[in-house]
Amino acid sequence: MRKLVVPLALAASSLLSGTAAAQQAPAPSPVAGNMTLASEYRFRGIDQTAGKPAIQGGFDYSHASGVYLGNWNSNVNQNAGYPGGSIEMDFYGGWKKAFGDFGLDVGAIYYYYPGTEARFLGNPHSSKSNSGTVHNTEFYVGGSWKWLSLKWFHAVSDYFSVPDTSGTNYLDFSATYDLGGGLGVVGHVGKLKVHNFSEADYTDYKLGVTKDITGWVLGAALVGTNAKGDCGASSLQPYCISDPSGNRPRDAGRTTLVLSVGKSF
């Protein structure tokens, strides 16, 4: 479940390397790649790799008109909501433009998990069942001012193939600030509202720092949520997932420190 929010290390990389690029004469290439190694993969604050490391990467194409296209990929754990799968593939495109200190970004993103079986996913508030591969399609619109941004995502399909959840919304408020000397800080608060499945609603947050060392960006971020993931509770807790070893369940929304190293090229 990747955001169209770039991973922590790459978000800072965009900010820090962008400042340097503005001082160089050659025009930037319209195609850029990125790779990240992270201690675990969190999507909207929720654990996607059962606490295990993630290797991630993709590419972006941008046109002078503001049109862009891209792909991003990561390993995931099937117990995090992707039965039978181990890979996430995201495909996105849109249009973004800067107007002085202000920016506008509109587009769509498609999340795809090859080899998965959506029929194993359920919603206690629905008798419907889905079939085929787990996927999700969202439209988004966002605005920014200097180092602050606000983006709204709206699912036009069942949210990651959970039955009767089309119309789910996610609001992302983020800040990425360049301290100079290769240092940056990143802050984020997000709110998920799942249609027809209120137990899955939650708020997530992130606060982190980054350091650019000759193009390699090191990141450390505290990530957490108030998602219902108490595996010992008697009430419905949708973010309690099984451990990949099968030994114990795991709270997918627990607070943790995520470390990362990434590079754009």
Side-chain angles (χ1 to χ4, degrees):
M1 298 180 182
R2 192 237 177 181
K3 55 275 153 194
L4 192 65
V5 177
V6 186
L8 171 66
L10 297 179
S13 177
S14 298
L15 174 68
L16 300 174
S17 63
T19 302
Q23 300 172 351
Q24 299 173 359
S29 170
V31 179
N34 60 79
M35 290 197 68
T36 298
L37 178 65
S39 57
E40 66 180 77
Y41 172 25
R42 289 293 183 107
F43 172 77
R44 295 175 180 169
I46 300 298
D47 187 354
Q48 306 295 296
T49 51
K52 303 301 182 182
I55 184 165
Q56 306 164 332
F59 69 91
D60 296 278
Y61 166 80
S62 57
H63 189 267
S65 65
V67 172
Y68 63 87
L69 297 169
N71 162 254
W72 186 87
N73 313 276
S74 177
N75 60 294
V76 295
N77 185 277
Q78 67 170 347
N79 296 308
Y82 317 111
S86 60
I87 298 175
E88 171 184 336
M89 303 176 70
D90 302 342
F91 304 91
Y92 51 88
W95 176 85
K96 65 168 60 176
K97 203 72 172 178
F99 305 91
D101 289 335
F102 295 90
L104 179 64
D105 184 9
V106 295
I109 180 168
Y110 176 71
Y111 308 78
Y112 176 65
Y113 301 84
T116 53
E117 292 284 350
R119 61 190 173 90
F120 292 114
L121 302 178
N123 180 348
H125 305 293
S126 172
S127 59
K128 173 185 173 183
S129 63
N130 288 324
S131 61
T133 303
V134 175
H135 65 278
N136 183 48
T137 303
E138 293 179 341
F139 287 105
Y140 56 85
V141 57
S144 62
W145 177 76
K146 293 186 177 180
W147 43 275
L148 300 174
S149 67
L150 183 68
K151 184 171 287 187
W152 173 68
F153 296 82
H154 179 75
V156 295
S157 64
D158 280 340
Y159 190 67
F160 294 95
S161 295
V162 175
D164 282 333
T165 55
S166 177
T168 292
N169 295 296
Y170 182 75
L171 190 64
D172 177 331
F173 177 67
S174 297
T176 306
Y177 191 75
D178 182 359
L179 296 174
L183 285 172
V185 293
V186 178
H188 156 82
V189 176
K191 176 64 178 178
L192 178 70
K193 183 71 173 178
V194 181
H195 179 69
N196 198 34
F197 196 170
S198 60
E199 294 88 350
D201 298 350
Y202 66 87
T203 300
D204 70 288
Y205 64 87
K206 176 173 68 178
L207 182 62
V209 295
T210 60
K211 173 64 176 178
D212 188 331
I213 303 176
T214 63
W216 290 90
V217 181
L218 309 180
L222 185 69
V223 180
T225 77
N226 66 351
K228 294 182 178 180
D230 183 355
C231 298
S234 58
S235 60
L236 178 61
Q237 301 284 315
Y239 297 104
C240 170
I241 62 173
S242 59
D243 186 89
S245 65
N247 294 326
R248 62 181 177 83
R250 177 183 292 270
D251 180 355
R254 70 198 181 284
T255 300
T256 192
L257 181 67
V258 177
L259 304 177
S260 62
V261 56
K263 185 175 179 61
S264 296
F265 51 89

